[in-house]
Structure formats: C-alpha cells, structure tokens
Amino acid sequence: FRVGLYPGTFDPVTNGHVDIIARAATLVDRLVIGVAINEDKGPLFNLSERVAMVEEQIARIKDGAEIVVQPFDTLLMTFAESVGAHIIVRGLR
C-alpha cells in the first residue's frame, strides 16, 4: 500500500497544484494533501478556507488514489511519518 504526501500552504490552490495532485494520484494508493498551518507566512486565506478549497478541487479528480486533505503544523518529516508516507511530492516553480 503506497502512500504519498503533497505538502504546501495552498494559499490559494492553483491549477498547477491540481495538476500535480492528479498526476501524483496515479502513482500511489493513497495521497495525503498536507495543508500547512504556518501562520507566520501571513496567509491570504485562513486554514479552514484553504482546506475547503483543496477539497473542492480534488472532488473533480476521478481517477487514481484515495485523496485526503489534512492540516499540519509539525515538521514535514514528522507529519510524513504520522501519515505513513512513502514518498513526498513536490512541484517546481
């Protein structure tokens, strides 16, 4: 059972994020979208709004892994271990 983790602030979620999520969902059995709380960055949207935006976008992805959205405020590796991630997905700017 392969678990992937795609972490970010998603402030806001973009078409690029959604593309990466859709591609990653074909590589794993379960994909966790980790929405970083990170209030120090001064996000445009609050945590619940960012989680809701990501959930709305992933509802459109029909193929691939089970996708779940989960906020986190720990070190990335601590969060990755807690969700049992085998891979961490990152995009390029």
Side-chain angles (χ1 to χ4, degrees):
F1 193 75
R2 296 167 302 172
V3 179
L5 170 61
Y6 181 30
T9 53
F10 304 100
D11 188 37
V13 65
T14 65
N15 289 336
H17 292 129
V18 175
D19 181 58
I20 291 169
I21 292 167
R23 290 172 185 240
T26 66
L27 301 174
V28 294
D29 301 305
R30 183 170 197 247
L31 181 62
V32 178
I33 310 301
V35 180
I37 292 173
N38 204 347
E39 294 298 327
D40 293 339
K41 276 190 167 181
L44 182 61
F45 296 97
N46 68 40
L47 179 64
S48 61
E49 290 171 323
R50 291 183 283 138
V51 168
M53 284 188 285
V54 173
E55 287 175 339
E56 180 181 328
Q57 292 300 313
I58 65 169
R60 301 174 189 189
I61 300 172
K62 303 296 181 202
D63 296 328
E66 168 196 10
I67 305 173
V68 296
V69 181
Q70 190 172 335
F72 74 101
D73 65 352
T74 61
L75 291 173
L76 178 57
M77 286 310 300
T78 303
F79 183 60
E81 289 174 349
S82 75
V83 298
H86 296 98
I87 65 168
I88 296 175
V89 176
R90 297 298 297 167
L92 298 173
R93 293 186 210 198

